[in-house]
Every structure is written in structure tokens, then in C-alpha cells.
Amino acid sequence: LALAYETRHLKVDIGSTPLGFTAATLAGGLSYNETFGGVSLKVDVSRRAVTDSLLSYAGTVDDRTGQKWGGVTATGGRAEVGVEEGPFGVYGYGSYHLLSGKNVVRNSRFEAGAGAFYKLFREEDNELTVGVSLTAMGYDKNLRYFTFGHGGYFSPQRYLSLSLPVEWTGRSGALSYKLDASVGVQTFRENDAPYFPGSSALQAEWESLATVGAAPTGVTWKTFYPGQTKTGLGFRIT
């Protein structure tokens, strides 16, 4: 279900995630944008579904115990500002959101970014833009796994990305086209995470079973998902 109202500067919408989901929930938002000469401003307040995985978006149920969890939403605000002068422009933004779901541990996320772009050429029906973009993001807790209490969404404690985006748009008669691509480097760090972050009783029971050696011979039961730090190349083409 969805209902929206939009004008030149204001957009409001309210609705729900699909009603057949295990953890269907309300979603919506309000955004306002304004332009002052070459300066643009936008403010957004919203509650949106986290669509990283089946668990985070739809929720799931344990057929043996009947426990349900998932259906994560991010609730918060975002503000961004941009300045454009001729073919050159710069922008920056910041946001803060609280994440919650059915039987999922609460989490928080901050994000900030900045960038610049230059229009290599701009014709009536053709435009090519190149730029540079820097993004920083962090979550309070690592909840990217799928056991009870986790949310199934990427939630690093530190994430940094530097990318070089390219956008080519144009029109030829009734045909319009757009190529959006980027390449860059990214690094992130994730903390260790308990198997059952939302239940101290389940976590204690699991640790007790692992300690007394209840696992089959030759099998070791872990009680925490290990943290990790990774750095590598990233790319995107749409």
C-alpha cells in the first residue's frame, strides 16, 4: 500500500512493505528541496525498509520454534547541500538513522559524504559528467548475520569509500539512455558479533553447549561471528 503527494519542492508519502511479508511494517517519508541561484538544499525525514536481504526486508520464521524476526526499517533524517557554477559543482551530505525490526537488536547508523563533478561536455541532447566522491559510514553494532536477533544487513563499524563516478545521458528521437558507472577503493571494519545478540539466555545456553563439548566429534561450535577488516576495489555499472 502506498499514498504520495508531490509538488515542485515538497514530497510526502506513506505506505507499507508488502502485506504478505512475515514482518510487514509502515514506511514513508517527507522531503523538501529548495534552490537559491546555484545553491541547492534538500532535507529528508523518513522511515524506509532495509532491503539488503530476505531477512532484513521481509522477515523470517523458525519453523521449529515459531520465532519470528526481521523486517528492519531505518528511521531518521538526511540533509544535503550542493553548489553548481557553470560546468563545475560540489556537494556534501550527512545523515543519522535508527534501525529496528521485529525481534532484531536496535542499531544506529551515521553517514557523511562529499564530492565534486565536472561536465566534460553538455549539448542539447547529450551530456557527460565525471567526478570524485568520498563516503564515510559507521554502525553501532554488527548485525549482518541471520541467527535470531540479527538483521541480515551490512553494518560495518567503519566504512570508507573513494570513487570516481561517470555519468552519460542523452536522447535520440524517442529513445533516451543513461550510463552510470564508478570505480574506486573501499575499506571497512566489522566487530565480532554474538550468535544471539537479542537474547542473553540463548547466547549463554549456546556458549554453555559449546564449552562442554556437545558438538559431534571433530566439530567445533563457535559462539561469536569473527570480525574482519577488508580493503579492495569497488565498481558499479547501471
Side-chain angles (χ1 to χ4, degrees), residues 66-238:
Q67 292 175 316
K68 298 179 180 180
W69 73 104
V72 180
T73 56
T75 304
R78 173 187 170 105
E80 56 184 271
V81 59
V83 180
E84 188 170 349
E85 185 67 34
F88 180 74
V90 296
Y91 62 89
Y93 66 89
S95 69
Y96 182 81
H97 291 82
L98 297 175
L99 294 93
S100 61
K102 184 179 183 64
N103 290 322
V104 174
V105 173
R106 291 181 177 271
N107 208 354
S108 61
R109 175 187 72 207
F110 81 88
E111 184 176 359
F117 61 88
Y118 183 79
K119 299 182 185 296
L120 286 179
F121 65 81
R122 178 170 24 176
E123 301 173 349
E124 183 178 355
D125 295 325
N126 212 1
E127 183 174 285
L128 178 63
T129 305
V130 297
V132 59
S133 176
L134 177 66
T135 301
M137 178 176 65
Y139 289 76
D140 180 40
K141 303 177 183 70
N142 178 14
L143 297 175
R144 77 175 178 93
Y145 297 98
F146 302 92
T147 42
F148 189 74
H150 277 276
Y153 59 91
F154 182 55
S155 46
Q157 281 54 73
R158 183 195 67 206
Y159 175 91
L160 294 172
S161 172
L162 177 65
S163 62
L164 303 174
V166 178
E167 183 180 273
W168 180 30
T169 60
R171 176 180 293 275
S172 177
L175 174 67
S176 63
Y177 52 88
K178 177 180 179 179
L179 174 64
D180 188 5
S182 69
V183 63
V185 62
Q186 57 188 17
T187 180
F188 69 87
R189 175 180 59 81
E190 293 177 326
N191 290 343
D192 295 352
Y195 268 45
F196 302 103
S199 173
S200 57
L202 280 176
Q203 182 66 22
E205 182 180 358
W206 183 246
E207 292 179 1
S208 177
L209 288 171
T211 301
V212 300
T217 303
V219 176
T220 301
W221 283 347
K222 296 180 180 180
T223 59
F224 275 75
Y225 298 104
Q228 61 177 337
T229 299
K230 289 189 175 182
T231 300
L233 294 177
F235 63 91
R236 172 178 53 86
I237 299 177
T238 58

Side-chain angles (χ1 to χ4, degrees), residues 16-26 47 49 54-61 68-73 100-104:
S16 71
T17 57
L19 299 181
F21 280 179
T22 300
T25 186
L26 290 175
R47 172 186 167 95
L54 174 67
L55 175 62
S56 70
Y57 189 25
T60 192
V61 57
K68 298 179 180 180
W69 73 104
V72 180
T73 56
S100 61
K102 184 179 183 64
N103 290 322
V104 174

